[in-house]
Amino acid sequence: MPSIQEQIDALRTQIRHHNHLYYVLDDPQIPDAEYDRLFRELQALELAHPECITADSPTQRVGGAALSEFGSVRHELPMLSLANVFSEEELNNFDRRIHERLKDETELEYVAEPKLDGLAISLLYENGVFVRAATRGDGETGEDVTANVRTIQSIPLRLLGNDYPARLEVRGEIYMPKAGFNKLNQRLAAEGGKTFANPRNAAAGSLRQLDPRLTAQRPLEMFCYALGIAEGGKLPDQHYAVLQQFKAWGLRVCPDIKVVQGAKACMVYFHEIGAKRARLPYDIDGVVYKVNALKIQQELGFVSRAPRWAIAHKFPAQEEMTELEAVEFQVGRTGALTPVARLKPVFVGGVTVSNATLHNMDEIERKDVRVGDFVIVRRAGDVIPEVARVVLEKRPATVQVISMPAQCPVCGSEVKRSEEGAVARCTGGLYCPAQVKEAIKHFASRRAMNIDGLGDKLVEQFFEQGLIRHVDDLYRLTKEQLVALERMGDKSAENILAALETSKTTTLERFIYSLGIRDVGESTAKALARHFGSLEALQAANEETLKLVPDVGPISAMSITQFFKEAHNTKTISNLRELGVQWANYEAKPVEALPLAGKTYVITGTLSRSREAIKADLENLGAKVSNSVSKKTTALIAGAEAGSKLEKAESLGVSILDEAELAELLVMPKEL
Ligand code: IVH
């Protein structure tokens, strides 16, 4: 008679085998009832012998309590991104650069893969046991989503076989299959809930649930496409063979991956996949080509945050034709009027679009857009849909020219073109309900006062109900007022009040940013906070002293002094402080004392972080960031695909920093 432990082990091995057949290979070999019997038998044994339960048991997928937040995970090897190409020419350039670098003209072998439209994830296995899953995050640090990823049935909790490295990190994409996405949306709609715009959002939303039991009900899948860490074990020396090895360990790998020879064959693959895109069971936004030989990959290495040995070939943005029914002008926080196209609803790139931005009047004139026109609407990835162009051949005789209204459509105040000319603004200021409402939304937003749960919809509702007129009114809201609102229960009201209370303790830069001063974005707010140290010092500053702050030019300096000159603004600020809004002051750090004072940098090419973020970091250390290279430039910070600026810097003998050197500069500014 086998021991209890032996019986349990035998059952687990059988169940893992059938899980793999069912979820990974899609080839079940026993009836569901038989599988259920094995599973229940294991459950019963574990119930009677809880000391035998281990985390990799097939019974342990969904368990544990909901989290209050995700922990963070530092990636031992950064999770990189890919550079993009959009044409055959760019692809050929990519291939040519590799040959040049290798000094070898022999045709290269590539692995061509669909570019999955989901979320990049890292899985960590220790001695074959799944121990951690993390999102990509910013590439350096991601979120710990282990409990949620455990619930994905096709991800093995224990690798098959025994020839895996002792520590193995596998990377890939978690996505929601199209069929599962449609079913999920049908269910959500039937329950009267909000539906997801596309499978990618649904996958992201599902993975970000704090309660793994909710994630468990979502049809998530994963395809593995890259190796992270591998310690203690041997691996093949070609990427494609590594993928086959993944499969042998029970991990899912996309079945549409192919090995191809040379750039021409990459193009053939691109067209093949493009032709079957709509029929694929998963969403993609392009294809990825990777040099197959790992030795060559190693030789090529990385430039900034992307490998030199791989490239993403993206499909063009998705476009559709529809009719422009009307143009309305939306009034923003600073009174700026933005023309918005009201369209006959059209299905573009997976979502129904009925509004699209027309940017500004100059754009409207340039594109010659008129009401009644047939227009091409474009949607690329997550960006706001836009009217790309007019189909002139189809222009009806009845079209109407679009003009900027002379009065604000919301409050009727005069509309004026700004000094810079491009922007038309409502002059109503705080008299204009649209501006006030937008200012309150901004104040509450995540990057400003971060009032959790107080989204745009609620601000609208509070405002329409007359509960708030200015930002300080938020902190005067009472539970009685809130519960009296439509669709607001006791619990939600309490949550909002608690979030308001939490938001009162903030930082000086957040507070400055939340005031919504024109031309003062996040990075300027931060620079102001660091420079002046306190709100009092900022309020007392004149335009000249303001201009000493990095990031502050003559226009923002004027906006700032004007803002603090307005009695109602200073009144609102003192009200907020009386209501308990507080922060810690800094020791004021005038620019001259900062380590990079007097230095000027230019940023170019594709880098792992946005230019704005890098600019803000440099400016916080006292440097100036300029757009053009000259003899006065201290150094050029060059990312991937740097072009003319790099050439110019080289010809002027200006020093050039890559991303690693930039990182050093930001950590130890005095050294470089
Ligand atoms: S490889 C070092 N392969 O694209 C290379 N990425 O733009 C790392 N993606 O964050 C990525 N399909 O989320 C690779 N077959 C594929 C992919 C893929 C989708 C995503 C991934 C990554 C992003 C990079």
Side-chain angles (χ1 to χ4, degrees):
M1 179 73 189
S3 72
I4 297 294
Q5 187 63 58
E6 282 163 352
Q7 290 178 47
I8 287 182
D9 286 344
L11 279 167
R12 286 180 184 163
T13 308
Q14 279 187 70
I15 293 170
R16 279 185 194 120
H17 172 67
H18 291 297
N19 270 347
H20 181 243
L21 290 170
Y22 185 93
Y23 291 110
V24 180
L25 304 181
D26 201 13
D27 181 22
Q29 304 206 334
I30 54 170
D32 287 2
E34 176 59 15
Y35 175 87
D36 289 344
R37 196 190 58 71
L38 292 171
F39 199 87
R40 277 197 306 269
E41 197 178 325
L42 175 61
Q43 272 179 324
L45 279 173
E46 287 182 343
L47 191 69
H49 304 275
E51 70 284 357
C52 296
I53 299 178
T54 53
D56 64 340
S57 170
T59 59
Q60 303 299 304
R61 287 219 174 248
V62 193
L67 304 168
S68 59
E69 60 175 357
F70 297 111
S72 66
V73 170
R74 227 186 133 71
H75 300 297
E76 280 171 57
L77 284 177
M79 286 183 80
L80 303 164
S81 59
L82 294 168
N84 295 323
V85 294
F86 289 91
S87 66
E88 177 159 17
E89 190 190 345
E90 289 175 332
L91 167 63
N92 288 337
N93 289 341
F94 161 77
D95 182 59
R96 187 175 42 75
R97 278 197 304 273
I98 297 187
H99 284 295
E100 282 171 7
R101 214 163 236 283
L102 298 173
K103 300 202 173 55
D104 183 348
E105 288 308 312
T106 331
E107 199 167 59
L108 277 162
E109 185 163 275
Y110 289 106
V111 179
E113 310 181 358
K115 184 166 193 300
L116 308 155
D117 206 3
L119 293 90
I121 291 285
S122 138
L123 304 178
L124 184 64
Y125 287 88
E126 282 175 356
N127 300 316
V129 178
F130 169 73
V131 292
R132 195 197 67 200
T135 61
R136 174 171 187 270
D138 62 3
E140 302 283 340
T141 315
E143 282 181 321
D144 186 329
V145 287
T146 311
N148 286 344
V149 170
R150 288 184 79 81
T151 68
I152 302 175
Q153 296 282 357
S154 61
I155 296 181
L157 296 180
R158 167 176 276 279
L159 297 177
L160 300 180
N162 49 21
D163 55 347
Y164 37 73
R167 271 186 101 228
L168 173 73
E169 187 202 7
V170 177
R171 292 169 176 186
E173 199 91 347
I174 287 193
Y175 67 95
M176 191 175 284
K178 291 180 193 169
F181 164 76
N182 290 333
K183 260 202 214 140
L184 171 66
N185 261 359
Q186 275 166 15
R187 192 185 92 205
L188 292 174
E191 289 166 358
K194 259 181 82 171
T195 54
F196 287 104
N198 53 47
R200 192 185 124 92
N201 289 1
S206 302
L207 204 65
R208 296 209 76 263
Q209 293 289 340
L210 288 167
D211 186 347
R213 278 167 302 189
L214 291 177
T215 309
Q217 296 166 17
R218 300 288 173 81
L220 294 175
E221 289 290 1
M222 178 165 180
F223 279 139
C224 299
Y225 54 58
L227 190 65
I229 312 161
E231 291 165 8
K234 247 183 88 69
L235 279 156
D237 58 5
Q238 297 204 311
H239 174 63
Y240 191 75
V242 171
L243 297 179
Q244 303 315 306
Q245 182 62 72
F246 285 173
K247 279 206 241 173
W249 288 329
L251 296 158
R252 283 179 87 240
V253 172
C254 176
D256 300 290
I257 295 177
K258 266 192 183 171
V259 176
V260 299
Q261 313 294 330
K264 268 226 165 63
C266 288
M267 273 319 286
V268 172
Y269 178 83
F270 179 76
H271 290 302
E272 262 170 32
I273 290 287
K276 42 180 210 186
R277 182 180 185 186
R279 278 174 284 131
L280 290 174
Y282 49 85
D283 256 4
I284 59 174
D285 59 351
V287 302
V288 183
Y289 312 118
K290 303 174 181 172
V291 170
N292 195 13
L294 299 185
K295 200 163 155 274
I296 302 183
Q297 286 192 5
Q298 229 171 22
E299 191 177 336
L300 291 168
F302 302 88
V303 59
S304 60
R305 309 260 89 202
R308 284 206 188 82
W309 43 264
I311 199 96
H313 189 171
K314 298 282 260 305
F315 294 131
Q318 300 192 44
E319 299 186 338
E320 285 298 337
M321 188 174 67
T322 187
E323 279 173 70
L324 177 60
E325 294 183 330
V327 171
E328 283 171 21
F329 287 83
Q330 256 171 14
V331 186
R333 175 162 61 83
T334 58
L337 265 65
T338 310
V340 179
R342 303 287 179 219
L343 306 163
K344 190 163 173 186
V346 58
F347 199 66
V348 193
V351 298
T352 303
V353 172
S354 44
N355 301 315
T357 181
L358 284 161
H359 301 290
N360 53 48
M361 288 310 287
D362 291 350
E363 280 281 306
I364 292 182
E365 274 162 38
R366 200 172 58 75
K367 292 177 181 159
D368 186 24
V369 185
R370 305 191 194 171
V371 174
D373 263 330
F374 285 86
V375 293
I376 301 295
V377 181
R378 177 163 57 201
R379 202 186 144 260
D382 271 347
V383 301
I384 305 170
E386 63 166 358
V387 171
R389 61 183 179 276
V390 173
V391 185
L392 282 177
E393 309 84 75
K394 288 182 72 92
R395 171 168 281 175
T398 51
V399 289
Q400 287 168 339
V401 173
I402 301 160
S403 56
M404 178 60 75
Q407 266 104 34
C408 170
V410 178
C411 73
S413 301
E414 190 193 348
V415 169
K416 266 198 181 152
R417 283 232 163 191
S418 63
E419 302 81 50
E420 320 92 81
V423 201
R425 286 198 160 88
C426 157
T427 53
L430 285 183
Y431 169 77
C432 177
Q435 290 189 47
V436 176
K437 222 165 26 181
E438 293 308 314
I440 302 175
K441 286 181 194 169
H442 170 78
F443 182 83
S445 66
R446 197 167 58 81
R447 315 186 85 108
M449 294 299 277
N450 191 19
I451 307 174
D452 205 21
L454 187 55
D456 290 0
K457 289 252 160 59
L458 269 183
V459 171
E460 299 259 352
Q461 202 185 359
F462 292 172
F463 194 86
E464 305 306 338
Q465 297 292 316
L467 298 183
I468 50 175
R469 275 284 155 264
H470 299 293
V471 292
D472 48 338
D473 295 330
L474 286 172
Y475 294 109
R476 298 195 187 88
L477 289 170
T478 64
K479 191 168 166 194
E480 291 68 42
Q481 286 177 319
L482 294 184
V483 290
L485 294 172
E486 237 176 88
R487 271 179 301 179
M488 172 80 71
D490 249 35
K491 188 76 195 137
S492 323
E494 278 165 19
N495 286 344
I496 289 168
L497 291 174
L500 278 161
E501 203 52 41
T502 311
S503 75
K504 285 182 184 173
T505 304
T506 184
T507 60
L508 179 56
E509 54 260 45
R510 272 181 181 270
F511 186 74
I512 295 172
Y513 174 63
S514 69
L515 292 174
I517 304 169
R518 197 195 293 176
D519 308 310
V520 178
E522 257 183 308
S523 73
T524 309
K526 196 163 167 191
L528 289 169
R530 294 294 148 109
H531 184 85
F532 290 103
S534 71
L535 193 68
E536 291 76 8
L538 171 62
Q539 283 183 265
N542 60 26
E543 285 180 34
E544 289 316 305
T545 46
L546 282 166
K547 277 192 279 184
L548 293 174
V549 182
D551 221 29
V552 178
I555 296 175
S556 41
M558 198 166 71
S559 302
I560 296 166
T561 50
Q562 268 177 0
F563 181 90
F564 290 115
K565 255 189 234 148
E566 300 271 4
H568 58 81
N569 287 335
T570 44
K571 181 71 189 144
T572 305
I573 292 173
S574 58
N575 288 346
L576 286 168
R577 299 184 96 164
E578 270 166 32
L579 288 159
V581 174
Q582 51 172 331
W583 55 83
N585 285 335
Y586 296 103
E587 206 178 302
K589 260 220 177 120
V591 187
E592 311 84 84
L594 293 172
L596 296 183
K599 303 214 187 293
T600 307
Y601 295 89
V602 177
I603 310 171
T604 191
T606 311
L607 293 143
S608 66
R609 295 192 301 146
S610 74
R611 265 182 224 189
E612 286 65 42
I614 297 171
K615 179 165 183 261
D617 281 354
L618 288 166
E619 287 176 340
N620 280 330
L621 293 168
K624 277 211 184 310
V625 174
S626 150
N627 276 326
S628 53
V629 178
S630 75
K631 269 194 285 197
K632 291 200 193 116
T633 308
T634 313
L636 175 75
I637 292 156
E641 320 274 315
S644 60
K645 288 182 188 170
L646 181 59
E647 280 169 27
K648 180 144 187 215
E650 278 168 349
S651 73
L652 290 175
V654 168
S655 56
I656 294 158
L657 304 183
D658 66 14
E659 194 145 18
E661 290 163 322
L662 167 69
E664 272 177 62
L665 175 70
L666 294 175
V667 183
M668 300 177 297
K670 292 224 170 72
E671 314 295 313
L672 285 165

